[in-house]
Amino acid sequence: YAEALKWFRKAAKQNDPKAQHNVGVIYALGLGVPQDNIKAYAWLSLAYSNGYEKSIDTILILNKEMSASEMQQAEAKAANLKKDIKKW
């Protein structure tokens, strides 16, 4: 999974919404990385905002599992990712 994450992340940073979704799923499930709902939500929400509608299913699941504080952190992380992607 580490190799897949490397390539998905590279494509995700080039604003590929399917790759952003895949990065989010890897973090949501903890596939080869520590499970991290905040990173997962951030990447999935970015994918969704870029038109990858399948992300909404996992976003809704995470929404139920995350606290308000975690949601705030995830939304801030998503905003930072969006800014960073514009720079790359």
Side-chain angles (χ1 to χ4, degrees):
Y1 292 105
E3 189 69 15
L5 178 60
K6 173 184 156 186
W7 290 106
F8 283 139
R9 193 180 285 141
K10 186 173 184 144
K13 289 179 179 178
Q14 293 176 17
N15 214 24
D16 179 319
K18 187 172 183 180
Q20 293 165 345
H21 172 85
N22 289 335
V23 171
V25 170
I26 287 171
Y27 280 113
L29 299 176
L31 300 174
V33 295
Q35 194 273 339
D36 189 325
N37 285 346
I38 293 170
K39 287 181 182 177
Y41 187 94
W43 281 107
L44 289 162
S45 67
L46 186 60
Y48 185 73
S49 72
N50 285 326
Y52 198 75
E53 294 180 8
K54 290 182 180 181
S55 296
I56 194 67
D57 296 331
T58 309
I59 289 169
L60 292 173
I61 291 168
L62 290 172
N63 225 342
K64 294 177 185 176
E65 296 177 0
M66 296 170 67
S67 69
S69 172
E70 289 172 324
M71 290 295 296
Q72 280 185 317
Q73 291 174 53
E75 288 169 5
K77 185 160 194 64
N80 287 333
L81 285 171
K82 199 172 220 176
K83 285 179 196 173
D84 288 344
I85 285 171
K86 288 182 180 180
K87 293 178 188 174
W88 287 313

